[in-house]
Amino acid sequence: MNTPLTEAKIFSCTQSRGLAEKIAASYGSKLGNVITSTYSDGEYQPSFEESVRGARLFIIGSTNPGADNLMEMLLMLDAAKRASARHITAVMPYFGWARQDRKDKPRVPIAAKMIASILETAGATRIITMDLHADQIQGFFEKPVDHLFASTVFLPYLRSLNLNDLTIASPDMGGSKRAYAYSRALESDVVICYKQREKANIISHMELIGDVTGKNVVLVDDMVDTAGTLTRAADLMMERGALSVRAICTHPVLSGDAYERVEKSKLQELIVTDSIPLRKKCDKIRVVSCADLFADVMQRVHGNRSISSKFLM
């Protein structure tokens, strides 16, 4: 005999409140009541102000650095576990610290693996996230991971532009698989940028593999941090004869002088999701919401239904 489904409860971490409200509205629910108390030294304590005993919880919060966003998610997971929630799903539109997914030199951490272990220890029984920096990070978890793709929201937008002579581009070799997936979906050509770095966030040299003459180019990446790679790639492609250059990046980290770089660049527009809230307004940045995608997947997870139709690539 099947046990009747109890109503799912949705809660939000502080920095993802805006997106969580959209997700809850699309889900057809309201956000649960959480109060965060802060001590004078900066320590904080989230508190569920309603019973969660035996319930399925969705706790929404991106874990982009600094460490406060991750720490808040961990505290809420622990609070839910100790309050006897039955299922606790960490909904992390952006899984932070994911660039440290391997040892690329001696004596460095594999932060993505460490954080996966900590999330499970804190109480997460399932993870829902989007466009991980590396697909294999799913294997760092012992619990189920639903790895969604922002192509679900980006592809309809790109098709609505009706661009002639469309070419998909990857800003580096590591993103070539993603670029090829978009090019197949859009039946377009693909080009790749090859870059060499002096150190993190500093590019020493960039070359283009492929022809963009007379093309409308769309750069595809999982995240935009300092925007140095994207803007340099856009400038290079315009120099090589492209008609226009746009970029789609799932996670708008946009640190340092990124906003200024985007504004001054030859990018026609930068299309991002709302996985991370923007720090300031920029006329060239367009936000396409991922709220409906997450709400639909959450409903399917709660109803024990397949979510395979949400994996467009």
Side-chain angles (χ1 to χ4, degrees):
M1 182 175 179
N2 292 330
T3 304
L5 288 174
T6 59
E7 182 181 357
K9 295 181 180 244
I10 304 174
F11 295 90
S12 172
C13 295
T14 305
Q15 73 100 13
S16 295
R17 180 84 186 187
L19 174 59
E21 288 175 346
K22 293 179 187 176
I23 292 174
S26 180
Y27 189 97
S29 181
K30 292 183 179 180
L31 286 181
N33 187 17
V34 177
I35 293 178
T36 302
S37 304
T38 305
Y39 298 93
S40 62
D41 66 350
E43 181 181 341
Y44 50 89
Q45 180 190 65
S47 169
F48 294 101
E49 296 298 305
E50 58 188 83
S51 175
V52 297
R53 184 178 298 274
R56 181 189 290 277
L57 268 59
F58 293 101
I59 301 176
I60 301 170
S62 289
T63 56
N64 48 301
D68 281 356
N69 295 324
L70 173 61
M71 190 65 189
E72 184 180 10
M73 171 62 79
L74 295 173
L75 291 173
M76 290 186 69
L77 291 171
D78 186 71
K81 177 178 67 175
R82 295 176 188 281
S84 300
R86 186 173 184 180
H87 301 286
I88 309 168
T89 301
V91 181
M92 297 183 292
Y94 175 60
F95 180 81
W97 311 88
R99 282 178 281 188
Q100 299 178 62
D101 63 330
R102 66 195 185 283
K103 286 187 69 173
D104 55 355
K105 63 180 183 178
R107 299 175 296 279
V108 295
I110 304 179
K113 167 59 179 171
M114 179 190 70
I115 289 169
S117 299
I118 295 172
L119 287 164
E120 292 177 338
T121 300
T125 59
R126 191 180 197 96
I127 307 294
I128 301 177
T129 189
M130 179 173 65
D131 276 2
L132 288 167
H133 188 63
D135 290 347
Q136 62 267 24
I137 291 174
Q138 297 171 78
F140 293 168
F141 291 90
E142 299 300 323
K143 305 296 184 182
V145 177
D146 297 313
H147 181 208
L148 310 181
F149 297 100
S151 55
T152 308
V153 296
F154 283 143
L155 285 174
Y157 176 77
L158 289 177
R159 290 185 176 114
S160 73
L161 296 176
N162 294 316
L163 295 173
N164 296 320
D165 298 313
L166 174 65
T167 293
I168 299 297
S170 172
D172 54 37
M173 299 297 288
S176 58
K177 179 182 175 183
R178 184 181 296 106
Y180 278 115
Y182 272 85
S183 71
R184 285 196 304 272
L186 296 167
E187 299 179 340
S188 67
D189 295 332
V190 62
V191 298
I192 299 172
C193 291
Y194 172 74
K195 66 183 179 184
Q196 294 178 327
R197 291 188 184 275
E198 291 180 10
K199 56 184 179 179
N201 297 130
I202 304 294
I203 301 170
S204 62
H205 179 71
M206 178 177 284
E207 272 300 333
L208 181 63
I209 304 172
D211 183 21
V212 295
T213 305
K215 303 290 187 178
N216 289 297
V217 181
V218 176
L219 285 154
V220 179
D221 212 348
D222 65 310
M223 62 184 292
V224 50
D225 187 357
T226 64
T229 298
L230 273 186
T231 55
R232 187 157 177 177
D235 293 346
L236 176 62
M237 289 176 182
M238 291 300 290
E239 290 169 8
R240 298 290 176 87
L243 294 177
S244 68
V245 182
R246 291 171 171 81
I248 55 175
C249 297
T250 306
H251 308 298
V253 177
L254 295 169
S255 63
D257 297 327
Y259 285 91
E260 290 72 20
R261 286 195 183 100
V262 170
E263 194 65 53
K264 293 176 182 177
S265 75
K266 294 180 181 177
L267 281 171
Q268 187 160 328
E269 64 178 342
L270 170 61
I271 306 119
V272 300
T273 74
D274 46 1
S275 64
I276 301 172
L278 298 180
R279 291 186 290 109
K280 61 174 76 171
K281 181 176 173 57
C282 176
D283 291 337
K284 285 191 175 183
I285 299 178
R286 177 181 178 86
V287 179
V288 180
S289 183
C290 57
D292 290 344
L293 170 62
F294 276 95
D296 189 11
V297 169
M298 287 159 55
Q299 286 177 331
R300 290 166 183 259
V301 166
H302 182 52
N304 297 316
R305 292 181 286 128
S306 171
I307 64 171
S308 59
S309 64
K310 295 300 163 184
F311 299 120
L312 294 191
M313 59 177 65

